[in-house]
Each structure stands twice: as C-alpha cells, then as structure tokens.
Amino acid sequence: AQSVTQLGSHVSVSEGALVLLRCNYSSSVPPYLFWYVQYPNQGLQLLLKYTSAATLVKGINGFEAEFKKSETSFHLTKPSAHMSDAAEYFCAVSGFLGGYNKLIFGAGTRLAVHP
Amino acid sequence: EAGVTQSPTHLIKTRGQQATLRCSPISGHTSVYWYQQALGLGLQFLLWYDEGEERNRGNFPPRFSGRQFPNYSSELNVNALELEDSALYLCASSLASGGDYNEQFFGPGTRLTVL
C-alpha cells in the first residue's frame, strides 16, 4: 500500500530563511508525487508534481522539490521565505497500485513565517 | 475560467440527519473527486466519479454515497450523521481519466458541523 509521511507537523522560519518541508513516501513502484498548499479557509492549490520526468521539480511561488528514489523522499524547499508562504502544506502520492486518480495525503505541515 | 465550486459553504446538522453537499467541476472536466478533511485524521479520499459512474471508493461506510449528473456536477450524501462526520469536505475535478494521472483542481470546500 502507498503512504506518505511528513516529518514535523509545525515548522517555523524567519522571513528570508530557507524553507525545508520533509516528505517520505512508501510505494513498491515509482509513484507520482505532489505538494499542495492550503491557505486558511481555502481549498488546495497544487505547488508542483513529479511524474517520472526530471527529478528536480520546480513549482509555483519559488518552491521546488527533488525526488530521491534511494531515500524515498520528496522534500519541498524554497530558498527565501516570505510572510505570504505561511500556510499548511500537504505532500501526496498517487500511482498504479492505489490508482492514479486517488491521492493519498500526508498529515500536513503548518509553516509559520515570522519577521 | 471558473474554478470548482461547492455549496453550501457551511452546513450545520444534528446527529441522525442527512447532509447533501454539491460540487460543480471546471468546464470540460468529467471526473469529480470527494475528500474528507477531519481534524486529527487529515485528508482522506472518499469517492471518485467519472462519466456518471463511481470508479473508486475510500475506506468509508456505505452511509457516504454520491452521484454524478449528466452535466458532470456531483452530490455527496451523508446519511445518519455522526459527530465524527464533522469535517471540511473538498471536491476536486479533472479531465477525463485515461489510466494516467490528470491534475485535480480543488474547490474551497464545505464545512459540515454535526451537533
């Protein structure tokens, strides 16, 4: 079965500091991997996705993630945090075994950005 | 282009009642997905409809049901409401499924409160 683990339910960074949100997946076959962001009282917005092309994926708002098969990881990074990045971030996986159209989400990481 | 819309925004019911949630997909999208975001349980896949048929179902009891109409809009019905059904219900839509992944676009959600 596929699963996703997000390390750290809360991450706090200073404005301008590096953002690193951790995600590890469990899948017996290479999956599709996603990062979504959820602002308060809103739905989910796709930040970026990995679908077996380049292992370094660039997304919106300056975020990027690197697929590392050997570490079964897909960590999300941003070089310099902005106040507007404060939100909840979800890592998700889909793939053949679980069905491509069924997203399995991690528990989420709430990012706080302080001045 | 209008995004995924959901109604109502908020819904308050009492235990044992039935709730009906509605979703209109992005124009041209034929697949609709439902997810539950409950406090402490994270985001869980509920149902997937495509071309009017239920294609996949998450680990939820049968009192969670739905349907997709000819115009591809969808309803989620929750019968015999229980307190733990209180959650944000997110709807997403995508282009027709073809065995591979199609990006899911999420609506703002319906917050269901069961008293």
Side-chain angles (χ1 to χ4, degrees), chain A residues 33-48:
Chain A
L33 292 158
F34 313 87
W35 276 99
Y36 284 86
V37 62
Q38 186 178 34
Y39 297 101
N41 300 314
Q42 294 187 26
L44 301 175
Q45 180 182 14
L46 180 66
L47 279 176
L48 48 81

Side-chain angles (χ1 to χ4, degrees), chain A residues 34 36 92-94 101-105, chain B residues 35 45 101 104 106:
Chain A
F34 313 87
Y36 284 86
V93 64
S94 75
N101 290 283
K102 174 182 174 181
L103 289 170
I104 298 169
F105 289 89
Chain B
Y35 293 85
F45 169 78
Y101 172 76
Q104 297 181 24
F106 284 80

